[in-house]
Amino acid sequence: MEEHKHTKAEHNHNHFLGKNTELYFSIASGLFLGLGFALSYLLTKTEWVALTCYIFAYFFGGYFITIEAYKKISKGGFDIDFLMIAAAIGAAYIGSWAEGALLLFLFSLGHALEHYAMNKAKKSIEALSDLSPKIALVKKGNQLIETPIESLQIGDTIVIKPNTKIAADGVIITGNSSINQAPITGESMPVDKTAIASLDKLPDFKHIDKKHIAFTGTINGDSTIEVHVLKLSQDSTVARLIKMVSEVETQKSPTQRLTKKFEKWYVPIVLIVVILLCFAYLIIDENFNESLYRAITVLVAASPCALAISTPSAVLSGIARAAQKGVLIKGGKTLEDLGSITTIAFDKTGTLTEGKPKLTNVIALNNFEENEFLQIVLEVESLSNHPLAKAIAKDIKKLHNLSFKGIAKNIEAIQGKGITAAYNNAKVLIGNLKLMQDEGITVKDTVTSRMDSLLQNGHTVMLVALKNEVIGIISVMDTPRQTAKSTLKRLKAIGIKRMIMLTGDHQNVGDAIAKQIGLTEAKGNLLPEDKVTAIKNLLATDGKIAMVGDGVNDAPAMALSTVSVAMGAAGSDVALETADVALMSDKIENLPFVIGLSRASKRIIKENIFISLGVVAILVPVTILGLTNIGVAVLFHEGSTVAVVLNALRLLVYKKHL
């Protein structure tokens, strides 16, 4: 069997019969087969009763297979379905109705299970299309107008009532709420969202703070919110996901491509061998019926049904399981490649770190009271628009429970050095050593050595002076994600040998972060082209490499890597387009799960190929030599087909490294 691409007519045909009809037909075939077996023993003198049961078993077991085979033959192709129909007809011709019915029952069961596995896998992803509500409430003046989501325009304001689905990708402009983003990002906990302060100078969708963003298909909490639409329905994150998932199937894995090539020449060889075996009676001492029986038994034994479905069923199950956790894996090749990775390169900012500066040290000097020192810093920094000043002011308020009183004034920024301001009519300076020296302020050796120590550890350090005297030191740093250290530890535990940070930051910053979170090494001062060179070098030494970044700044390096993994891809068109693996949430802790899943998929693919080829390798010579009958051949051969599908379905419940 292969990945069956159903035509529209076939889809309508199956829809008319019902989506699980194939499985029901297979079960009906099994029931008639069992009834036939029982009646052949109980009613030995009325063989036609058992034969009638077998004929019904043939009908139900062969119905869908015959349709598949006919389609292939009409296009000039002979595949495994054709081999099975030929074997069943041959079995009936030589009077082995029970064996033929058993063959069709088990083969149709394998077929039905394969389609069930495929459909379950596809549906668990394509269920995304059901996420989007069909109608949105558009606010026009004081009116709320029900509008189909296809008719929404960029700039519309939609009202989202409590506990309803969000109808478009956009930015929240009114109200605060807790939103369940699990359908898109896989996050288990609802995420607090707040309205954006203003729509003036709105950055592009990717760069708006995620706490203001609402995604199509996510579920609003207990508060009413209003959303300014920023994407049309066909461009929404959900729509892009569905499109990419439908493309996933066309990207076959290396193993799939290999098995396809194998089947292409293997099936005609089997047909030639079977035809030749029909004439074995001309050479060896047996009659035509015995030669035909042997040929049909070989036909059953040699059909590589299990091989054909071993890889696609595992690939689709793996991709579906990843999607349940908010991870998009683009095709079988990526799934297999990721499983063999032992080296990972990480971007720093926003991947291993929070991506925003945090206040890390507050050191009051000369017995200056800490709270008074912090109040001075808060008053001055609150007047500045510099990102570091904003971060310092925000953290002082949050960590030290201080509030802005508006005491400072006359702030002045000195390019590349810092700021000055008046605080209670006294001059305050906050900046680097050069600022202090230019203003004629003496900085003691003990202070500069403390500064150097912090600089060596990757901090950005500022001195604070009041009335021409240094009164303290403050430092900020892009701090590691809380989960980074534990994630890297888990990656190491599952066999990732090298974990390298590639950053444009100073080498000291890279080294400091690397030391804190347990990276193997860090490479700093890298421009985008330097990152590309670093990836080339790693590919040359390590063979395969994964690159983890945000999919935007690191696009060239990620494109070069064996597998590129984009963080926080929800809402990012570039990340979804360029990355092989997209972590929809901003959670690096999903990485060990994805790598573990791909390894499990790879292992299951290998197990499936071993089972399928192993059974064929044993059965073919045994049946050619006439050492077994058709019933045993059917049982082992079709049993292996059912076994590989059930083995692949295990991936849908994969839970390790969560």
Side-chain angles (χ1 to χ4, degrees):
M1 277 171 280
E2 52 181 24
E3 295 160 286
H4 303 286
K5 294 177 176 64
H6 298 299
T7 62
K8 193 171 182 182
E10 182 186 351
H11 174 78
N12 292 340
H13 171 74
N14 285 346
H15 182 72
F16 172 74
L17 288 169
K19 60 182 178 181
N20 290 323
T21 309
E22 193 171 5
L23 192 58
Y24 299 147
F25 270 40
S26 175
I27 293 164
S29 174
L31 290 172
F32 279 112
L33 171 66
L35 190 60
F37 269 137
L39 292 175
S40 65
Y41 284 106
L42 295 172
L43 307 171
T44 50
K45 290 180 183 176
T46 47
E47 288 179 8
W48 66 269
V49 179
L51 181 62
T52 306
C53 290
Y54 292 144
I55 289 168
F56 275 112
Y58 259 67
F59 170 76
F60 287 111
Y63 182 82
F64 283 97
I65 304 163
T66 308
I67 292 169
E68 299 271 4
Y70 173 74
K71 283 196 185 106
K72 298 286 166 45
I73 293 164
S74 63
K75 290 175 187 170
F78 291 92
D79 75 342
I80 297 151
D81 295 315
F82 171 75
L83 294 184
M84 288 297 103
I85 294 296
I89 292 167
Y93 176 76
I94 59 174
S96 298
W97 283 94
E99 287 85 349
L102 177 64
L103 167 70
L104 289 176
F105 161 58
L106 288 171
F107 187 70
S108 66
L109 183 63
H111 228 284
L113 280 174
E114 178 203 359
H115 287 150
Y116 176 77
M118 301 292 190
N119 290 334
K120 193 170 171 59
K122 286 177 199 165
K123 277 173 192 162
S124 68
I125 306 168
E126 287 170 357
L128 289 167
S129 60
D130 298 328
L131 290 174
S132 310
K134 303 295 175 264
I135 299 289
L137 285 174
V138 178
K139 190 176 183 182
K140 295 270 173 81
N142 292 325
Q143 281 187 303
L144 290 181
I145 300 162
E146 286 194 352
T147 308
I149 62 160
E150 296 79 19
S151 305
L152 287 177
Q153 298 296 315
I154 290 169
D156 280 350
T157 299
I158 56 172
V159 175
I160 318 294
K161 293 192 171 174
N163 306 310
T164 60
K165 287 180 181 175
I166 291 164
D169 283 12
V171 62
I172 299 167
I173 52 172
T174 307
N176 305 322
S177 193
S178 206
I179 293 176
N180 176 3
Q181 296 195 146
I184 301 293
T185 64
E187 291 164 286
S188 55
M189 298 298 290
V191 180
D192 290 335
K193 301 278 184 171
T194 59
I196 198 164
S198 165
L199 288 174
D200 296 338
K201 295 180 183 174
L202 196 67
D204 63 66
F205 193 80
K206 162 72 183 171
H207 293 106
I208 300 171
D209 192 322
K210 291 273 172 74
K211 69 182 180 186
H212 305 311
I213 288 287
F215 294 115
T216 307
T218 55
I219 301 154
N220 188 21
D222 295 331
S223 306
T224 298
I225 55 172
E226 292 180 11
V227 172
H228 178 80
V229 176
L230 291 178
K231 287 191 180 185
L232 299 174
S233 65
Q234 66 266 30
D235 299 323
S236 71
T237 301
V238 164
R240 297 183 69 81
L241 274 178
I242 296 159
K243 180 173 175 282
M244 281 167 183
V245 166
S246 62
E247 289 168 358
V248 153
E249 283 185 88
T250 61
Q251 300 178 23
K252 290 187 172 66
S253 73
T255 313
Q256 263 174 290
R257 285 198 292 269
L258 203 64
T259 53
K260 284 279 162 236
K261 281 180 189 170
F262 175 75
E263 282 171 46
K264 205 171 182 178
W265 58 260
Y266 180 79
V267 171
I269 287 172
V270 169
L271 285 171
I272 292 163
V273 169
V274 167
I275 291 164
L276 289 173
L277 283 170
C278 289
F279 300 99
Y281 71 95
L282 297 173
I283 300 165
I284 59 175
D285 184 23
E286 64 183 16
N287 60 37
F288 173 69
N289 272 0
E290 287 170 332
S291 290
L292 186 61
Y293 185 90
R294 185 206 306 268
I296 290 162
T297 309
V298 170
L299 182 60
V300 172
S303 300
C305 323
L307 179 68
I309 63 168
S310 58
T311 310
S313 55
V315 164
L316 266 175
S317 295
I319 288 168
R321 178 66 185 117
Q324 289 167 1
K325 290 295 296 172
V327 180
L328 178 65
I329 298 175
K330 294 189 191 170
K333 184 181 184 303
T334 299
L335 190 69
E336 285 196 30
D337 282 343
L338 195 57
S340 55
I341 294 285
T342 55
T343 302
I344 303 177
F346 294 90
D347 171 43
K348 178 184 80 75
T349 308
T351 300
L352 291 171
T353 64
E354 296 286 354
K356 33 190 186 279
K358 293 273 178 73
L359 183 65
T360 48
N361 283 283
V362 173
I363 305 165
L365 302 169
N366 303 336
N367 298 320
F368 209 91
E369 207 272 315
E370 188 179 276
N371 262 19
E372 190 184 343
F373 169 65
L374 283 166
Q375 191 68 49
I376 292 168
V377 174
L378 174 62
E379 296 298 327
V380 174
E381 296 286 37
S382 294
L383 300 179
S384 172
N385 284 322
H386 193 281
L388 287 184
K390 285 181 175 179
I392 290 164
K394 181 184 169 188
D395 282 355
I396 288 174
K397 286 178 191 171
K398 185 174 155 189
L399 300 172
H400 299 276
N401 276 334
L402 295 174
S403 55
F404 175 65
K405 294 174 183 172
I407 301 169
K409 56 187 179 183
N410 301 336
I411 187 164
E412 186 188 340
I414 301 164
Q415 190 66 38
K417 296 176 190 173
I419 52 174
T420 67
Y423 178 84
N424 281 342
N425 297 320
K427 190 173 184 180
V428 175
L429 295 95
I430 302 176
N432 56 22
L433 194 59
K434 186 85 172 71
L435 176 66
M436 301 300 153
Q437 289 167 345
D438 289 354
E439 293 289 327
I441 296 168
T442 306
V443 182
K444 293 176 185 173
D445 290 345
T446 51
V447 175
T448 53
S449 67
R450 287 182 90 165
M451 272 186 77
D452 290 342
S453 171
L454 289 168
L455 287 166
Q456 284 297 317
N457 286 311
H459 298 261
T460 300
V461 185
M462 284 153 275
L463 295 169
V464 181
L466 176 70
K467 297 177 184 174
N468 290 333
E469 184 187 359
V470 175
I471 59 167
I473 302 170
I474 52 173
S475 72
V476 292
M477 190 178 184
D478 181 9
T479 54
R481 287 174 180 267
Q482 287 184 336
T483 54
K485 191 172 184 177
S486 60
T487 301
L488 295 181
K489 202 172 176 183
R490 279 158 62 209
L491 287 171
K492 197 173 179 183
I494 63 171
I496 302 298
K497 295 185 176 73
R498 290 183 77 186
M499 292 178 280
I500 303 140
M501 182 202 291
L502 306 178
T503 179
D505 263 354
H506 194 277
Q507 186 67 46
N508 285 350
V509 177
D511 289 339
I513 299 282
K515 194 176 173 185
Q516 281 182 59
I517 61 178
L519 281 165
T520 320
E521 57 195 282
K523 294 179 189 292
N525 304 313
L526 300 181
L527 296 168
E529 54 267 35
D530 299 327
K531 289 186 180 183
V532 170
T533 307
I535 294 291
K536 277 181 184 170
N537 294 338
L538 287 167
L539 283 167
T541 55
D542 295 34
K544 287 185 177 180
I545 180 165
M547 169 83 186
V548 185
D550 63 7
V552 183
N553 310 333
D554 307 303
M558 289 176 79
L560 188 65
S561 61
T562 316
V563 178
S564 55
V565 182
M567 293 277 298
S572 166
D573 295 347
V574 181
L576 283 174
E577 289 290 351
T578 58
D580 300 312
V581 178
L583 305 180
M584 301 310 291
S585 67
D586 208 23
K587 290 187 172 181
I588 195 171
E589 56 266 39
N590 278 341
L591 198 54
F593 166 76
V594 183
I595 292 172
L597 176 66
S598 63
R599 287 184 180 173
S601 303
K602 208 170 177 191
R603 188 172 60 250
I604 280 175
I605 288 168
K606 280 180 182 170
E607 287 168 5
N608 282 355
I609 288 170
F610 179 78
I611 292 166
S612 51
L613 287 180
V615 168
V616 169
I618 293 165
L619 278 182
V620 170
V622 166
T623 50
I624 286 175
L625 294 170
L627 299 175
T628 188
N629 64 32
I630 195 169
V632 174
V634 166
L635 214 52
F636 273 90
H637 184 267
E638 297 312 319
S640 68
T641 304
V642 174
V644 297
V645 175
L646 293 175
N647 196 30
L649 283 172
R650 284 167 49 211
L651 287 169
L652 289 173
V653 291
Y654 176 83
K655 279 186 180 156
K656 272 190 187 176
H657 311 298
L658 278 175

